[in-house]
Amino acid sequence: MDSIIALCKRRGFIFQSSEIYGGYNGFFDFGPLGVELKKNLKEAWWKDMVHCRDDIEGLDSSIIMSPKIWVASGHVGGFSDPMVDCKTSKMRYRADQLFFAPVIVDGNTIGYVSVLEDSSMQAVAEETADKMKRKQGVQGTLAPIELKDYTEADPSEYELIPSPATGEPGSLTPPRDFNLMFETKVGALSDSTATAYLRPETAQGIFANYKNIVDTGRVKIPFGIAQVGKAFRNEITPRNFIFRSREFEQMEMEYFISPEADWQGCHREWIDWCKDWLVSVGLPADMLGEDVHPLEKLSHYSRGTTDITFKFPFGEQELWGIACRGNFDLTQHQEHSGKSMEIFDQESKSKFIPHVVEPALGVDRLLLAVLTAAYTEDEIGGEKRTLMKFHPRVAPYKVAVFPLLKNKPELMEKAQDLYKKLQRKYNVFWDTAGAIGRRYRRMDEIGTPWCVTVDFDTLEDGTFTLRDRDTTEQKRINEEELLAMLDAQLY
Amino acid sequence: MDSIIALCKRRGFIFQSSEIYGGYNGFFDFGPLGVELKKNLKEAWWKDMVHCRDDIEGLDSSIIMSPKIWVASGHVGGFSDPMVDCKTSKMRYRADQLFFAPVIVDGNTIGYVSVLEDSSMQAVAEETADKMKRKQGVQGTLAPIELKDYTEADPSEYELIPSPATGEPGSLTPPRDFNLMFETKVGALSDSTATAYLRPETAQGIFANYKNIVDTGRVKIPFGIAQVGKAFRNEITPRNFIFRSREFEQMEMEYFISPEADWQGCHREWIDWCKDWLVSVGLPADMLGEDVHPLEKLSHYSRGTTDITFKFPFGEQELWGIACRGNFDLTQHQEHSGKSMEIFDQESKSKFIPHVVEPALGVDRLLLAVLTAAYTEDEIGGEKRTLMKFHPRVAPYKVAVFPLLKNKPELMEKAQDLYKKLQRKYNVFWDTAGAIGRRYRRMDEIGTPWCVTVDFDTLEDGTFTLRDRDTTEQKRINEEELLAMLDAQLY
């Protein structure tokens, strides 16, 4: 993981947001290479999900929408984590990540310890308890420290548990629900009716526009609406680089089906489609898994959810969630807006509110998975090299063009010709600096699949040296063959 | 304008946000065709600005950044409009759009009238004054009503001017600066240190990452950094459809030059580049103009700003601003962050903070200009038609494929073959419904440049009917010619 983060920073894939001001926790910026990689992932998804499927329409709804949407969806009422504030330090903690225990010596409670969730928290708590015992000069046997999280605390214990910020008890509040949506104020009114939210998911923008698309398009059941865009959640503990951040991007699709349809079959089809797609952008099938949510853990509106997981460096984690949401969302919007969400199905000659299957993928997570899968270290001729084995579809640069020597005008001219020609269609790298071997290494490290060198043979017979990133093999190829190869590999 | 808005809604280009909840002022959603048009405009800009220029790098910074950035840039202190609140109604008005006048009869002030800025405000104010005179039963001659805006009011007049909401005086506050940035709270602290802002422009994300890109890239002066992304301004009076909205998208580029460089020449080059680019995506040159900001109206940091204007249906308005910002922004960030923003220029062997030329374009404005320019009504064979003459580069669909008859399997199969082949590269429309003439009309209305019909001749000789949107001319073409034509027109 550290090598990936270091390479991301060194080669301009990903920077921490506001780095010159010491950074801003939970936010990231994508540099010249990161922005290309991210764009290519989004483009590939859009092409396969929207352009190449006749049953799916695209959409781009606003980030700030009417707050009524978030009331209807249940986010205003329920999208929250239990939080606890320290009144002294103004720090805020997730109650289920703040652990505590009474310190008991020979049956007497002499105080409380608290720790933040961590692999070493048990050891830290025991050490702290031991110090407390010594400091108070208490003799006797310390009972085993049994940590519980703050949501399990008895109300009488709140004022006894020390704040992790100050180490002193008395400043922690009871746990209370803290909404994860970012709030803001919109418009010409100065009171609370101006409250609005940054969307915590793109899905509701789709449900809110479902009726517009049914009314203006020529869709028929089953059909889908797809959207790519930013979403925001005020996560208290953003972590694992870009895996869990506060500002992120989603690619979501809502697939509307008849209430009578075989939803389990449809669910399975989408899980398979999504897995195939991940493989098509370069994730190895053996790094993917499936996590079927047990029935008792499903949200109240869900009939079934399966996560496609990926083996990240920090463990196997959710990458793409495919949820069967029933007709919960559309029914809620029908009730709250008073507008009918029913659709007339020509085939069955019946009217109904459709059910949905929702594949929801985070762009940033996908990008991290792609970086993880691509990162490779190998040895070429006794020399270590780092390379990013990006699938050609998503590689930031598709091909690099090198004139063998920059002080030979005829090589430069020929190479510029090719460069300009390829640029019409592809993102192409131009490099004239240093030995060809060093130029290859630079391209390996940013994952450019092919390098083309214009050399003296080019002037004779019109062929170039084509060098492959993964195998490092070189072969002669002419312009027509090169164009045909790129066309075949990249579309 | 009304025809354009109606077509946008009818054909699924643009919807008002949250329409099922009565809409949400200042926010818009892009439907299946709008999202394609918008993506194509952004793609064209990115290709020409970033991929095809060796001196420009891409970036994608976060929407929420450290609030310190907005302090340094001056937005926290100064990005505001003077506002006035009505304490009774909680309505808020821009002080420079709220006009008032004393009502004077024979030298005696009998009250005040107020109106919101509008082409008919003078007439409305006079009528209101006349009513006041009659209602109070005052005899005499009404002096001419001389409207001033609220920023020009004497403090003693604030409590005499009636609120436009209630018609009664006494509830308006003095004007005060109201920041246009949307505020929110981020993270684990519950106090004011958690305050953050949605970016009101993408430019500061570029300045904040300038050092990262200088340190990790191989840039040399002059060079640019380009970014496309959402920005947010709490405009009090969003208007003219998507021309001035609260959530919008920008395409900005900061071009860093030596302080010794000929900045006027560079400014002129960028103005010309931008105009050429607008023409390349289909805006007629004669609908473009230039508005040179007079020296006395320039922002304090600007040395010169020229807007490229467009003749919108509601008047000639700013489309693309090209500003010379000097070294104001980088100098501010150097001061506030303590990090050096100097760059070493190999050529002049000197170190300096570069100056910038900034072409800043709004995607939504550009989209409105493109819609305006494309909207055409003509007559074909005595029948009226509406067509969108989009440039092929930006048209939502590039080509439509029609089997002449849907009940002939051999036509359907041949047409599907072609459809699938074209889909590898382009967004293609498939239509089997109704007479060919009606299918042409549907494509005209959404601006698809070419329609290809698979008919009985296709089965004989492999040629298709290619029909041109603008001329309605038809000709026979084979697959190879079709692919070559699309390749030539679309790249």
Side-chain angles (χ1 to χ4, degrees):
Chain A
M1 188 71 176
D2 290 342
S3 324
I4 294 172
I5 296 176
L7 180 124
C8 281
K9 163 83 211 235
R10 182 171 79 245
R11 295 309 308 259
F13 280 93
I14 304 172
F15 307 120
Q16 211 196 339
S17 171
S18 314
E19 204 167 78
I20 56 172
Y21 291 99
Y24 201 52
N25 194 12
F27 298 89
F28 293 92
D29 294 341
F30 295 85
L33 292 169
V35 62
E36 298 295 339
L37 183 57
K38 204 172 167 192
K39 271 165 63 70
N40 292 343
L41 287 168
K42 291 190 278 183
E43 271 309 303
W45 187 88
W46 193 263
K47 177 153 203 62
D48 296 336
M49 185 64 96
V50 181
H51 287 185
C52 287
R53 288 192 64 124
D54 296 344
D55 55 348
I56 296 179
E57 302 282 338
L59 176 75
D60 183 15
S61 68
S62 59
I63 289 171
I64 298 179
M65 304 190 287
S66 167
K68 291 173 189 165
I69 287 173
W70 305 109
V71 173
S73 70
H75 284 82
V76 168
F79 191 61
S80 52
D81 281 338
M83 302 296 304
V84 47
D85 285 323
C86 165
K87 287 176 283 187
T88 306
S89 68
K90 307 290 176 206
M91 285 297 292
R92 178 174 284 166
Y93 305 98
R94 259 179 67 173
D96 58 354
Q97 293 177 352
L98 198 172
F99 284 76
F100 74 96
V103 179
I104 302 169
V105 178
D106 288 347
N108 298 319
T109 299
I110 63 163
Y112 276 76
V113 292
S114 68
V115 282
L116 293 174
E117 188 174 21
D118 190 83
S119 58
S120 63
M121 65 180 179
Q122 183 66 34
V124 171
E126 285 167 8
E127 200 181 315
T128 311
D130 208 52
K131 268 192 204 149
M132 185 185 287
K133 176 171 169 263
R134 276 183 284 124
K135 203 173 162 197
Q136 295 188 13
V138 181
Q139 300 295 322
T141 309
L142 193 63
I145 296 294
E146 290 176 3
L147 290 170
K148 292 195 288 187
D149 80 49
Y150 199 80
T151 62
E152 301 169 291
D154 186 85
S156 65
E157 295 181 303
Y158 296 152
E159 58 177 327
L160 304 173
I161 299 170
S163 159
T166 64
E168 298 297 326
S171 68
L172 293 182
T173 64
R176 59 196 176 91
D177 284 337
F178 175 78
N179 202 296
L180 290 178
M181 287 195 293
F182 285 105
E183 240 182 75
T184 190
K185 301 267 182 192
V186 170
L189 285 165
S190 53
D191 64 6
S192 70
T193 63
T195 299
Y197 306 94
L198 305 195
R199 65 179 175 201
E201 59 172 38
T202 58
Q204 295 304 324
I206 296 178
F207 294 122
N209 276 287
Y210 153 87
K211 200 177 151 56
N212 275 329
I213 290 178
V214 168
D215 291 350
T216 63
R218 295 193 300 162
V219 294
K220 56 177 202 279
I221 291 286
F223 74 96
I225 304 175
Q227 163 155 263
V228 177
K230 287 273 173 99
F232 299 80
R233 294 181 190 177
N234 197 4
E235 300 281 354
I236 297 308
T237 44
R239 53 180 149 182
N240 290 328
F241 197 35
I242 58 172
F243 182 78
R244 188 183 302 284
S245 51
R246 287 172 172 151
E247 174 174 337
F248 54 100
E249 204 156 2
Q250 290 188 308
M251 307 198 279
E252 293 195 303
M253 195 276 292
E254 305 296 331
Y255 199 68
F256 299 93
I257 60 175
S258 160
E260 307 295 319
D262 167 20
W263 64 269
Q264 285 101 332
C266 181
H267 191 205
R268 186 70 242 168
E269 271 172 38
W270 277 110
I271 297 167
D272 293 340
W273 191 96
C274 294
K275 278 181 121 170
D276 288 348
W277 188 84
L278 290 172
V279 171
S280 84
V281 295
L283 299 190
D286 61 8
M287 293 180 87
L288 303 175
E290 281 183 33
D291 176 20
V292 181
H293 292 208
L295 278 176
E296 67 274 16
K297 284 206 169 177
L298 291 176
S299 317
H300 61 283
Y301 51 77
S302 176
R303 294 173 156 203
T305 297
T306 297
D307 291 340
I308 299 174
T309 58
F310 179 79
K311 294 194 177 85
F312 286 100
F314 45 85
E316 188 165 342
Q317 294 277 349
E318 177 194 347
L319 175 57
W320 201 336
I322 297 103
C324 300
R325 297 174 72 111
N327 60 6
F328 172 77
D329 301 275
L330 288 181
T331 305
Q332 286 292 107
H333 286 300
Q334 172 167 301
E335 274 174 27
H336 284 254
S337 71
K339 302 282 192 306
S340 168
M341 296 294 152
E342 287 186 325
I343 189 169
F344 182 76
D345 179 24
Q346 288 288 351
E347 204 156 303
S348 64
K349 305 284 176 213
S350 62
K351 245 175 132 177
F352 50 75
I353 298 181
H355 287 218
V356 292
V357 176
E358 172 196 88
L361 175 62
V363 181
D364 310 81
R365 273 180 198 195
L366 173 64
L367 193 124
L368 185 55
V370 164
L371 288 167
T372 303
Y375 187 87
T376 313
E377 292 175 359
D378 66 5
E379 214 166 274
I380 298 295
E383 207 191 323
K384 269 192 122 174
R385 88 174 163 150
T386 302
L387 74 160
M388 297 302 281
K389 283 192 178 180
F390 293 127
H391 190 285
R393 278 187 88 183
V394 304
Y397 288 99
K398 306 306 179 194
V399 53
V401 175
F402 307 150
L404 182 66
L405 299 167
K406 67 174 166 185
N407 55 2
K408 295 285 172 196
E410 59 280 29
L411 292 180
M412 288 289 275
E413 192 187 325
K414 196 86 191 159
Q416 272 287 321
D417 279 354
L418 180 67
Y419 175 55
K420 292 290 171 204
K421 201 170 281 178
L422 294 175
Q423 243 180 5
R424 284 181 60 231
K425 290 191 187 171
Y426 311 115
N427 195 21
V428 189
F429 198 89
W430 171 259
D431 194 357
T432 63
I436 291 291
R438 283 194 53 195
R439 292 187 234 171
Y440 286 157
R441 290 294 181 281
R442 282 199 286 265
M443 289 301 103
D444 291 342
E445 210 185 30
I446 65 172
T448 308
W450 301 287
C451 297
V452 179
T453 304
V454 172
D455 49 29
F456 291 106
D457 286 355
T458 314
L459 305 177
E460 300 287 320
D461 63 9
T463 64
F464 314 104
T465 304
L466 177 75
R467 187 262 196 182
D468 182 275
R469 175 195 66 202
D470 300 344
T471 64
T472 74
E473 269 170 26
Q474 302 183 15
K475 65 172 179 181
R476 303 296 301 180
I477 190 169
N478 68 28
E479 186 179 304
E480 199 180 325
E481 290 162 342
L482 174 65
L483 293 174
M485 185 277 284
L486 292 173
D487 191 270
Q489 296 281 336
L490 294 170
Y491 288 106
Chain B
M1 188 71 175
D2 290 341
S3 325
I4 294 171
I5 296 177
L7 181 123
C8 281
K9 163 82 211 232
R10 183 170 77 246
R11 295 310 309 258
F13 281 94
I14 304 171
F15 308 120
Q16 211 196 340
S17 171
S18 316
E19 204 168 77
I20 57 172
Y21 290 99
Y24 202 51
N25 195 12
F27 297 89
F28 294 91
D29 295 341
F30 295 86
L33 292 169
V35 62
E36 298 296 338
L37 183 57
K38 204 172 168 191
K39 271 165 65 70
N40 292 342
L41 288 168
K42 291 189 279 183
E43 272 309 303
W45 188 88
W46 193 263
K47 177 154 202 62
D48 296 337
M49 185 64 96
V50 181
H51 288 184
C52 288
R53 288 193 63 123
D54 297 344
D55 55 349
I56 295 179
E57 301 282 339
L59 176 75
D60 183 15
S61 69
S62 60
I63 288 172
I64 298 179
M65 304 190 288
S66 167
K68 292 173 188 165
I69 286 174
W70 305 110
V71 172
S73 70
H75 285 81
V76 168
F79 191 60
S80 53
D81 281 338
M83 303 296 304
V84 48
D85 284 323
C86 165
K87 287 176 284 187
T88 305
S89 69
K90 307 290 177 206
M91 285 296 293
R92 179 172 285 164
Y93 306 98
R94 261 180 64 174
D96 58 354
Q97 293 176 354
L98 198 171
F99 284 77
F100 73 96
V103 179
I104 303 169
V105 178
D106 288 348
N108 298 318
T109 299
I110 64 162
Y112 277 75
V113 291
S114 69
V115 281
L116 294 176
E117 187 174 20
D118 189 86
S119 56
S120 62
M121 66 181 180
Q122 183 66 35
V124 171
E126 285 168 6
E127 199 180 316
T128 310
D130 208 51
K131 268 192 204 148
M132 184 185 287
K133 176 171 169 263
R134 276 183 284 126
K135 202 174 163 198
Q136 295 189 13
V138 181
Q139 301 296 322
T141 308
L142 193 62
I145 297 295
E146 290 177 3
L147 290 171
K148 293 193 287 186
D149 80 51
Y150 200 80
T151 62
E152 302 169 293
D154 186 86
S156 65
E157 294 180 303
Y158 296 151
E159 58 177 327
L160 303 173
I161 298 171
S163 158
T166 65
E168 298 297 325
S171 68
L172 293 181
T173 64
R176 59 197 175 90
D177 284 337
F178 175 79
N179 202 296
L180 291 178
M181 286 195 292
F182 285 104
E183 240 183 75
T184 191
K185 300 266 182 191
V186 170
L189 285 166
S190 53
D191 64 5
S192 70
T193 62
T195 298
Y197 306 94
L198 305 196
R199 64 180 177 203
E201 60 173 37
T202 58
Q204 294 304 324
I206 296 177
F207 293 121
N209 277 286
Y210 153 87
K211 198 175 152 55
N212 274 330
I213 290 178
V214 167
D215 290 350
T216 64
R218 293 194 300 162
V219 295
K220 56 177 204 278
I221 291 284
F223 73 96
I225 305 175
Q227 163 154 266
V228 177
K230 287 273 173 99
F232 299 79
R233 293 180 190 178
N234 197 5
E235 300 281 356
I236 297 310
T237 44
R239 54 179 148 184
N240 291 329
F241 196 36
I242 57 172
F243 182 78
R244 187 183 303 282
S245 50
R246 288 173 171 151
E247 175 174 336
F248 53 100
E249 205 156 1
Q250 289 188 309
M251 305 198 280
E252 293 195 304
M253 195 275 293
E254 305 297 331
Y255 200 68
F256 299 94
I257 60 175
S258 160
E260 306 295 320
D262 166 20
W263 63 269
Q264 285 102 330
C266 180
H267 191 204
R268 186 69 243 169
E269 271 173 36
W270 276 110
I271 297 167
D272 293 340
W273 190 95
C274 294
K275 279 181 121 169
D276 289 347
W277 188 84
L278 291 171
V279 171
S280 83
V281 294
L283 299 190
D286 62 10
M287 294 180 87
L288 302 175
E290 281 183 34
D291 176 21
V292 180
H293 292 209
L295 279 176
E296 67 274 17
K297 285 206 168 179
L298 291 177
S299 317
H300 61 283
Y301 52 76
S302 177
R303 293 173 158 202
T305 297
T306 297
D307 292 339
I308 299 176
T309 58
F310 179 78
K311 294 195 177 85
F312 286 99
F314 45 85
E316 188 165 343
Q317 294 278 348
E318 178 194 346
L319 176 58
W320 202 335
I322 297 102
C324 300
R325 297 174 72 111
N327 61 4
F328 172 77
D329 300 276
L330 287 181
T331 305
Q332 286 292 108
H333 287 300
Q334 172 166 304
E335 273 174 29
H336 284 253
S337 71
K339 303 282 192 307
S340 167
M341 296 293 151
E342 287 186 326
I343 189 169
F344 181 76
D345 180 24
Q346 288 289 352
E347 204 156 304
S348 65
K349 306 281 175 214
S350 62
K351 247 176 133 178
F352 50 75
I353 297 181
H355 286 219
V356 292
V357 176
E358 171 196 89
L361 175 62
V363 182
D364 310 81
R365 273 180 199 196
L366 172 64
L367 192 123
L368 185 56
V370 165
L371 287 168
T372 303
Y375 187 87
T376 312
E377 293 174 359
D378 66 4
E379 215 166 276
I380 298 296
E383 206 191 324
K384 269 192 121 172
R385 88 173 164 152
T386 302
L387 75 160
M388 297 301 283
K389 283 192 178 181
F390 294 128
H391 190 285
R393 278 187 88 183
V394 304
Y397 288 98
K398 305 309 179 193
V399 53
V401 174
F402 307 150
L404 182 65
L405 299 168
K406 68 174 162 182
N407 55 2
K408 295 285 172 197
E410 58 279 30
L411 293 179
M412 288 289 275
E413 192 187 325
K414 196 86 193 158
Q416 271 287 322
D417 279 356
L418 180 67
Y419 176 56
K420 293 290 171 202
K421 201 170 280 176
L422 294 174
Q423 244 179 5
R424 285 180 61 229
K425 289 191 187 170
Y426 310 114
N427 195 21
V428 189
F429 198 89
W430 170 259
D431 195 355
T432 64
I436 291 292
R438 283 193 54 194
R439 293 186 234 172
Y440 286 157
R441 290 294 180 281
R442 282 199 286 266
M443 289 303 101
D444 291 342
E445 210 185 29
I446 65 172
T448 308
W450 301 287
C451 297
V452 179
T453 303
V454 173
D455 50 29
F456 292 104
D457 286 354
T458 314
L459 304 178
E460 300 285 322
D461 62 10
T463 64
F464 314 103
T465 304
L466 177 75
R467 187 261 194 180
D468 183 276
R469 175 194 65 200
D470 300 343
T471 64
T472 75
E473 269 169 28
Q474 302 181 15
K475 67 173 178 181
R476 303 296 302 180
I477 189 169
N478 67 27
E479 187 179 304
E480 198 181 325
E481 290 162 342
L482 174 65
L483 293 174
M485 185 277 284
L486 292 173
D487 192 270
Q489 296 282 335
L490 295 169
Y491 289 106

